[in-house]
Amino acid sequence: PAAPLVFRAAAPFDRAETRRRRAHHLRPVVVASAADAVDTPIETTTEPIKFLKCATCTAVYKITEAELGPTGARVRCAVCGNTWFQTPAKLLTLYDTYELVPYPEENKERFADREANRELRASRDALREKRRLSQSVGVTLFVANLAFDVEDQVLEEVFADTLGYTDGSITASIVREEDGRSKGYGFVSCPSDEDAAKAIDELNGAELLGRDIVVRLGHKK
C-alpha cells in the first residue's frame, strides 16, 4: 500500500444507524425461510473496509485480503520504512464511527528526518568497517592534503591505476567529520610492500583535484 492514512471519529452520526450498519458488516442477510434458502442465494452487504496499521508511526493503509494472498505478505510503511509480515486474519476493520483521512504532512516530515539520520549513521558505520578491514591486511598508506570533494572511490581508482590492479585489491577510506565532511586525509591499503613503495614513489606530490597530495607509510598490521 502506498497512501498512508489515519483514522478519526466520523461526526455527526446516528448511533442507531451505526449499530444497524455494523450488524450488517458482521453477518449476512437472513433469508425468510428454508425454501427461500434453496431457491435464492444468500445476499450479503458491501464488504467492510479492511486496513493495516504500522506499529511505529501509526499510519494506516486500506488493503484487501486478496491483495495479501491466502497466507499473507511482507509490507513496508511508506512513512517510516517499518516492515512486517501481515496476515489477512490480522487485518483491522473500519467501522462507521470512524473515517480515514490523509496522514499529517508534519508527521511525514518528522519520520523522514529520522530515516535520513538512520541512513547517515549506517553510512558512517559502513565507512568505519571499511577502514577497519582495509587496515587489517597488507600495507596501509597515509594520504594527506586531499581536496575536500575527493571520495573513497576516486582515491581507490588513482592508486589502483598506478599499481595496475583491477580486482578490488586496493581499498581507500577518507576520514570524515560526524556530519560526513572530509577531514582532508585518509588511508589506502596495498597488498604488498612493493606496491606501497611504488605508490609512494609515483604519487607522493602528485596533483589530485588541484592539490599536491602527500603519500607515506601509515602502519602495517
Side-chain angles (χ1 to χ4, degrees):
L5 306 165
V6 292
F7 58 94
R8 69 182 181 190
F13 62 91
D14 185 309
R15 294 185 182 276
E17 174 67 10
T18 296
R19 287 194 295 272
R20 184 190 69 80
R21 294 175 63 186
R22 183 179 298 175
H24 282 292
H25 281 314
L26 297 178
R27 66 174 184 269
V29 175
V30 179
V31 296
S33 67
D36 291 335
V38 172
D39 297 331
T40 306
I42 295 176
E43 296 180 358
T44 57
T45 57
T46 304
E47 287 294 324
I49 295 176
K50 296 287 187 177
F51 66 93
L52 52 84
K53 181 179 179 181
C54 175
T56 301
C57 66
T58 70
V60 300
Y61 301 87
K62 289 194 295 184
I63 194 170
T64 64
E65 293 182 359
E67 288 178 290
L68 288 175
T71 59
R74 180 161 292 279
V75 295
R76 182 179 187 275
C77 178
V79 175
C80 66
N82 180 34
T83 61
W84 69 97
F85 190 85
Q86 180 71 48
T87 62
K90 294 293 186 179
L91 287 176
L92 303 174
T93 301
L94 182 71
Y95 292 111
D96 301 304
T97 49
Y98 292 92
E99 62 182 353
L100 296 178
V101 296
Y103 194 82
E105 288 297 327
E106 59 270 21
N107 288 4
K108 286 185 184 180
E109 294 173 359
R110 178 161 55 89
F111 281 101
D113 290 341
R114 289 185 183 180
E115 185 69 16
N117 290 334
R118 187 182 300 113
E119 291 177 355
L120 180 59
R121 288 195 298 272
S123 177
R124 288 203 300 264
D125 291 343
L127 287 174
R128 291 192 186 101
E129 179 64 11
K130 184 178 179 181
R131 183 164 64 247
R132 185 187 69 81
L133 292 174
S134 70
Q135 293 173 347
S136 64
V137 295
V139 181
T140 299
L141 296 174
F142 174 75
V143 185
N145 200 36
L146 294 170
F148 292 115
D149 53 351
V150 172
E151 299 291 338
D152 293 357
Q153 183 178 357
V154 172
L155 199 58
E156 287 177 2
E157 290 175 353
V158 169
F159 278 76
D161 289 345
T162 300
L163 300 176
Y165 285 98
T166 59
D167 58 356
S169 297
I170 305 298
T171 59
S173 178
I174 306 294
V175 179
R176 299 182 181 279
E177 303 283 358
E178 284 297 314
D179 60 3
R181 291 180 300 170
S182 169
K183 288 187 175 183
Y185 66 91
F187 298 92
V188 175
S189 177
C190 299
S192 67
D193 292 332
E194 292 76 12
D195 290 325
K198 181 178 180 181
I200 293 173
D201 183 57
E202 296 190 20
L203 293 176
N204 185 42
E207 182 180 341
L208 179 60
L209 297 186
R211 288 193 176 189
D212 295 338
I213 63 174
V214 175
V215 182
R216 63 171 184 260
L217 282 174
H219 55 274
K220 181 177 180 179
K221 291 188 178 182

